């Protein structure tokens, strides 16, 4: 009568969503101020002023039929040109508008890219811990996900394990830096090592192996940390970008796919991206938000709030005896569960109204993800709950 596969996906929402829903119900019982919901990556910092100013300006000055009409499937030319110009100025690249396909956020960028790349028998390497939807997106695109655990100590890629996992069926490796859920950033040395490994394997198998670089947190880094721009290190890179987190616009659904000229058969690959977007029924990215982001390139929400939250949480967690991955970016703290079963730890945390996500669904058991895109005040209020929870273990 209907798809069992789709039923399963719809009937069992993600663990993150389940906890998010639990938080809503619990809020009704104990009140918003008494629940410490660290479950979801919904930016807590408002979009920068320029976003609303641009919306107002566009509504007042651009004819409605143009502002709200279809754009080309690939996106508006002036928008794509502006993105190319911005990236070229920032990273010293030489992209053209023809390299960009506008999408409804990173999720769509990923599903389109995976669908565009897919041929019978393909495998895609996913580095754990990973954003849980990767598995869903890969399988739906027909790719077999091959999960490779990161190094337990650093949570950086385990290159020997990646090398072992690459076969003649490997079509792509998905990377995500800064990472959800660990906050870890791949530094230049790491990116160079990965690139060299994949170059070697491409030669060995005589075929391209793509890096799909999922970059919704590209600008969310703290201190002097730099995120190397992947296309400068590895030709067969496809960038999946989103403005959801950098501009705090997750509900507006806007992002892009970048297929550089250097990528193998780049012109044809770009056409396959167009075909996948068409087959998946995306039509075009929202016109209004294409025009909005054109005026906001290089701007971000006030990420100093996230940095402050990160520092406060790490200081608190470590003072109490917990240990955490080094989160240089994004807005997640990956904290080691003091008991083997992270889900059991999360249940204990719930007693104190602390809501964390156990790491099993990120493919890396034994940790919890603490999303600190919340108000600093909430973290301050949650400290006594952290203290009570720590007393159960240390
Ligand atoms: N990739 C990662 C690593 C994410 O964390 C998210 C959202 O949280 C997405 C992709 C999807 O982002 P978007 O809202 O742009 O679809």
């Amino acid at each position: 009568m209907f798809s069992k596969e789709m039923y399963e996906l719809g009937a069992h929402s993600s663990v993150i969503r389940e906890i998010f829903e639990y938080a809503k119900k619990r809020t009704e019982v104990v009140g918003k101020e008494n629940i410490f919901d660290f479950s979801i990556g919904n930016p807590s910092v408002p979009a920068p002023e320029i976003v609303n100013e641009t919306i107002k300006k566009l509504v007042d000055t651009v004819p409605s039929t143009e502002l709200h009409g279809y754009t080309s499937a690939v996106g508006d030319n002036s928008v794509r040109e502006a993105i190319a110009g911005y990236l070229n100025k920032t990273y010293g690249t030489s992209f053209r508008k023809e390299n960009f396909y506008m999408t409804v956020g990173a999720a769509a960028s990923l599903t389109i890219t995976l669908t565009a790349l897919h041929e019978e028998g393909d495998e895609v390497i996913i580095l754990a811990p990973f954003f849980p939807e990767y598995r869903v997106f890969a399988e739906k695109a027909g790719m077999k996900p091959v999960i490779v655990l990161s190094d337990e100590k650093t949570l950086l890629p385990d290159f020997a394990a990646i090398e072992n996992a690459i076969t003649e069926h490997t079509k792509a490796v998905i990377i995500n830096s800064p990472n959800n859920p660990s906050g870890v950033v791949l530094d230049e040395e790491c990116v160079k090592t990965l690139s060299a490994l994949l170059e070697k394997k491409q030669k060995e198998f005589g075929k391209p192996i793509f890096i799909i670089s999922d970059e919704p947190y590209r600008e969310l880094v703290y201190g002097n940390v730099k995120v190397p721009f992947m296309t400068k290190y590895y030709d067969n890179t496809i960038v999946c970008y989103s403005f959801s987190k950098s501009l705090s616009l997750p509900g507006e659904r806007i992002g892009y796919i970048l297929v550089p000229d250097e990528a193998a058969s780049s012109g044809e690959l770009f056409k396959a991206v167009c075909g996948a977007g068409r087959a998946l029924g995306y039509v075009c990215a929202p016109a209004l938000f294409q025009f909005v982001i054109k005026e906001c390139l290089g701007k971000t929400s006030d990420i100093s709030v996230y940095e402050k939250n990160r520092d406060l949480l790490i200081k608190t967690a470590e003072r109490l005896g917990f240990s955490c991955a080094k989160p240089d970016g994004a807005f997640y703290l990956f904290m080691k569960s003091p008991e083997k079963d992270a889900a059991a730890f999360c249940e204990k945390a719930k007693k104190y109204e602390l809501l964390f996500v156990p790491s099993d669904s990120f493919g890396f058991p034994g940790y919890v993800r603490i999303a600190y895109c919340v108000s600093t005040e909430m973290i301050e209020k949650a400290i006594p709950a952290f203290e009570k929870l720590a007393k159960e273990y240390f």
Side-chain angles (χ1 to χ4, degrees), residues 30-310:
V30 297
K32 198 172 178 338
E33 63 290 354
N34 296 315
I35 188 101
F36 310 119
D37 181 9
F38 293 100
S39 68
I40 204 157
N42 215 353
S44 55
V45 176
E49 267 303 298
I50 186 169
V51 167
N52 284 340
E53 282 165 11
T54 306
I55 294 171
K56 284 181 200 148
K57 188 185 83 190
L58 289 169
V59 168
D60 287 343
T61 56
V62 180
S64 177
T65 47
E66 197 180 314
L67 193 58
H68 304 302
Y70 291 124
T71 67
S72 306
V74 289
D76 178 82
N77 277 342
S78 71
V79 173
R80 295 157 71 217
E81 216 155 66
I83 296 173
Y86 164 71
L87 291 179
N88 293 342
K89 200 173 78 199
T90 310
Y91 299 107
T93 46
S94 43
F95 300 128
R96 302 167 295 119
K97 67 175 184 307
E98 287 77 10
N99 300 116
F100 295 86
Y101 181 94
M102 302 305 297
T103 66
V104 289
S109 301
L110 288 162
T111 53
I112 292 171
T113 299
L114 288 161
T115 304
L117 288 175
H118 170 252
E119 291 174 291
E120 194 62 37
D122 275 350
E123 297 174 354
V124 57
I125 292 183
I126 298 176
L127 308 179
F130 55 82
F131 177 53
E133 297 303 88
Y134 287 167
R135 200 193 278 275
V136 179
F137 298 163
E139 284 171 354
K140 189 64 202 96
M143 298 255 197
K144 181 176 162 215
V146 175
I147 310 298
V148 176
L149 293 182
S150 292
D151 179 81
E152 164 80 46
K153 277 206 197 84
T154 58
L155 295 177
L156 288 167
D158 177 341
F159 297 108
I162 296 174
E163 181 155 15
N164 278 336
I166 295 176
T167 70
E168 80 244 54
H169 302 295
T170 306
K171 179 55 71 71
V173 178
I174 303 180
I175 61 169
N176 169 224
S177 168
N179 181 266
N180 174 10
S182 72
V184 165
V185 173
L186 304 187
D187 64 13
E188 190 172 39
E189 190 194 329
C190 197
V191 160
K192 281 184 174 166
T193 310
L194 179 64
S195 302
L197 169 61
L198 294 184
E199 295 284 3
K200 185 176 99 175
K201 286 291 175 185
Q202 290 193 132
K203 279 210 187 90
E204 187 181 325
F205 291 113
K207 55 168 253 189
I209 299 173
F210 293 91
I211 284 182
I212 300 174
S213 185
D214 179 27
E215 304 186 356
Y217 304 97
R218 189 198 293 150
E219 294 83 4
L220 273 62
V221 282
Y222 312 115
N224 295 323
V225 173
K226 294 259 177 311
V227 182
F229 196 72
M230 214 38 237
T231 65
K232 295 177 75 171
Y233 297 88
Y234 188 70
D235 286 350
N236 282 328
T237 298
I238 303 172
V239 175
C240 292
Y241 185 78
S242 164
F243 296 89
S244 290
K245 315 286 172 166
S246 57
L247 286 175
S248 300
L249 294 174
E252 304 300 353
R253 317 305 303 138
I254 187 79
Y256 60 78
I257 297 168
L258 161 59
V259 181
D261 288 340
E262 294 77 19
S265 311
S266 110
E268 287 87 352
L269 177 56
F270 190 84
K271 287 273 181 279
V273 163
C274 298
R278 179 181 170 195
L280 292 166
Y282 283 119
V283 185
C284 67
L288 170 60
F289 274 85
Q290 290 190 49
F291 298 125
V292 170
I293 59 97
K294 180 182 161 189
E295 305 299 323
C296 301
L297 295 166
K299 304 284 190 300
T300 64
S301 310
D302 177 11
I303 65 166
S304 69
V305 179
Y306 300 139
E307 184 168 11
K308 192 168 159 199
N309 289 355
R310 176 196 70 159

Side-chain angles (χ1 to χ4, degrees), residues 12-46:
H12 307 288
S13 61
S14 76
V15 180
I16 302 171
R17 287 270 151 196
E18 265 171 35
I19 300 169
F20 182 62
E21 292 306 323
Y22 169 87
K24 277 203 239 161
K25 280 204 195 101
R26 196 69 195 138
T27 300
E28 283 165 25
V29 181
V30 297
K32 198 172 178 338
E33 63 290 354
N34 296 315
I35 188 101
F36 310 119
D37 181 9
F38 293 100
S39 68
I40 204 157
N42 215 353
S44 55
V45 176

